[in-house]
Amino acid sequence: FQAIREGVSYIVATGLAGRADGTALDVEVHQFIPTVDGELDLSRVLVTIIDTTEALRVQHQLEDAVNSRDQLISSVAHELRTPLTVVVGLMHSLAESHRHLPQDEIAELLALASAEADDLSHLVDDLLTYSRLGSGNHQVNAGPVDLHELVNELLERSVRRGGHLVSVRGEAEAIADPRRVRQIVRNLLTNADRYGGPTVEVHIDAGDPVTLRVVDDGEGVPQEASDVFLAYSRAHDSTGLPGAIGLGLTISRSLAEAMGGSLTHRRTDGWTVFELALPPVSSDR
């Protein structure tokens, strides 16, 4: 009708249509009206209706992928810049003033630079792991892992850098990839250090499965927050924190599942609990 009213011979419109079974579909309508002696010939109107439902679905998926990519690039650039700026500043200070600084101050500056460089390394490790998980190229090298020893190694470095004092309860061995378990626990401890309350604990329980729980008495994840394990999800607004690009928990759960385990989150009696479950070392070893 719009084409006839405006004297247009060809027009395209989009909208919704209904199928015979009552379901809706996206459509694109092409209408062509031939002209005779400069006038529209309404006796021969050609109308083509194209079902674009699948095409629009793919288009939306591509748009979401582009948005996720842009979000990732922006987040990574921001989070890499924070520790990198500190490392560059410390190195410049040492290069310019090391001849005049006492040895203990030089050692302190180097320790700070080393800690920030570790943050950069961990962030890059998470990014590389995430890309491998997405492409299916990730490999797990499983073997016996002493969880108590592994946690204490991580905590020693954390305490030297001023992190929470964390108590560790229990001992157990699990069958897992030591490097990947370290990556998971590091992400859980970092998450608790940033967002948790003053008390952070690690509970290790032998059994089938072996469980490692990182608990804290913070406020927990807001009810309106999205799934904490979704990529780029941030339950707390905390820009400027190294590694806080919303991938750590996503990667950790994927790694746990790749090792035959699981990673879950719950809120219990005022405690936020992240529980890592892993296969036990068989009794016949």
Side-chain angles (χ1 to χ4, degrees), residues 82-84 86-87 90 111-121 161 242:
T82 303
L84 186 58
V86 176
V87 172
L90 290 171
L112 288 173
S114 175
E116 296 295 335
D118 282 343
D119 278 334
L120 284 170
S121 176
R161 297 175 50 196

Side-chain angles (χ1 to χ4, degrees), residues 3-56:
I4 295 171
R5 183 172 60 249
E6 298 177 0
V8 177
S9 62
Y10 178 73
I11 193 170
V12 179
T14 59
L16 288 175
R19 298 185 179 91
D21 62 3
T23 59
L25 68 156
D26 295 290
V27 295
E28 188 174 87
V29 181
H30 296 250
Q31 177 176 275
F32 174 71
I33 306 174
T35 58
V36 177
D37 297 330
E39 298 293 333
L40 297 180
D41 181 3
L42 300 180
S43 66
R44 296 181 295 170
V45 179
L46 176 64
V47 178
T48 303
I49 301 177
I50 303 172
D51 182 353
T52 59
T53 306
E54 181 64 17
L56 287 176

Side-chain angles (χ1 to χ4, degrees), residues 148-197:
H148 188 273
E149 181 180 337
L150 182 147
V151 171
N152 280 328
E153 289 176 359
L154 290 171
L155 290 177
E156 286 179 9
R157 180 177 292 272
S158 175
V159 170
R160 288 199 300 268
R161 297 175 50 196
H164 276 83
L165 289 174
V166 181
S167 62
V168 184
R169 304 177 184 178
E171 297 184 9
E173 280 193 336
I175 294 297
D177 186 327
R179 179 184 176 190
R180 297 313 176 188
V181 174
R182 187 175 290 106
Q183 190 173 358
I184 293 171
V185 177
R186 188 193 73 231
N187 279 329
L188 296 181
L189 291 173
T190 300
N191 186 74
D193 190 54
R194 291 194 181 107
Y195 310 125

Side-chain angles (χ1 to χ4, degrees), residues 35-283:
T35 58
V36 177
D37 297 330
E39 298 293 333
L40 297 180
D41 181 3
L42 300 180
S43 66
R44 296 181 295 170
V45 179
L46 176 64
V47 178
T48 303
I49 301 177
I50 303 172
D51 182 353
T52 59
T53 306
E54 181 64 17
L56 287 176
R57 185 187 67 81
V58 173
Q59 178 182 335
H60 292 154
Q61 286 183 336
L62 291 174
E63 290 173 351
D64 290 342
V66 170
N67 290 335
S68 295
R69 182 204 62 186
D70 292 344
Q71 182 181 7
L72 174 61
I73 291 173
S74 176
S75 296
V76 169
H78 177 80
E79 305 302 345
L80 284 174
R81 181 178 60 186
T82 303
L84 186 58
T85 299
V86 176
V87 172
V88 171
L90 290 171
M91 291 299 98
H92 284 172
S93 296
L94 285 170
E96 295 171 359
S97 309
H98 69 278
R99 293 184 180 87
H100 312 292
L101 294 175
Q103 287 299 314
D104 57 344
E105 188 169 341
I106 292 176
E108 183 179 355
L109 292 175
L110 287 173
L112 288 173
S114 175
E116 296 295 335
D118 282 343
D119 278 334
L120 284 170
S121 176
H122 296 158
L123 180 56
V124 171
D125 194 22
D126 280 349
L127 291 169
L128 291 174
T129 300
Y130 187 67
S131 67
R132 294 189 186 108
L133 289 171
S135 61
N137 294 327
H138 181 70
Q139 293 183 343
V140 173
N141 300 312
V145 179
D146 187 323
L147 297 180
H148 188 273
E149 181 180 337
L150 182 147
V151 171
N152 280 328
E153 289 176 359
L154 290 171
L155 290 177
E156 286 179 9
R157 180 177 292 272
S158 175
V159 170
R160 288 199 300 268
R161 297 175 50 196
H164 276 83
L165 289 174
V166 181
S167 62
V168 184
R169 304 177 184 178
E171 297 184 9
E173 280 193 336
I175 294 297
D177 186 327
R179 179 184 176 190
R180 297 313 176 188
V181 174
R182 187 175 290 106
Q183 190 173 358
I184 293 171
V185 177
R186 188 193 73 231
N187 279 329
L188 296 181
L189 291 173
T190 300
N191 186 74
D193 190 54
R194 291 194 181 107
Y195 310 125
T199 304
V200 179
E201 300 175 353
V202 177
H203 300 174
I204 301 171
D205 294 317
D208 190 0
V210 174
T211 60
L212 183 153
R213 297 187 300 277
V214 177
V215 303
D216 72 80
D217 58 353
E219 295 181 358
V221 178
Q223 291 185 353
E224 65 274 13
S226 59
D227 185 352
V228 295
F229 293 108
L230 289 177
Y232 317 117
S233 173
R234 284 183 180 179
H236 304 269
D237 184 12
S238 56
T239 58
L241 291 172
I245 59 174
L247 288 179
L249 293 178
T250 305
I251 292 167
S252 296
R253 184 172 65 174
S254 297
L255 289 175
E257 293 173 350
M259 293 184 292
S262 64
L263 179 62
T264 58
H265 163 264
R266 65 180 181 270
R267 182 76 175 170
T268 304
D269 298 329
W271 291 86
T272 297
V273 182
F274 283 92
E275 181 174 288
L276 171 65
L278 294 169
V281 175
S282 59
S283 58

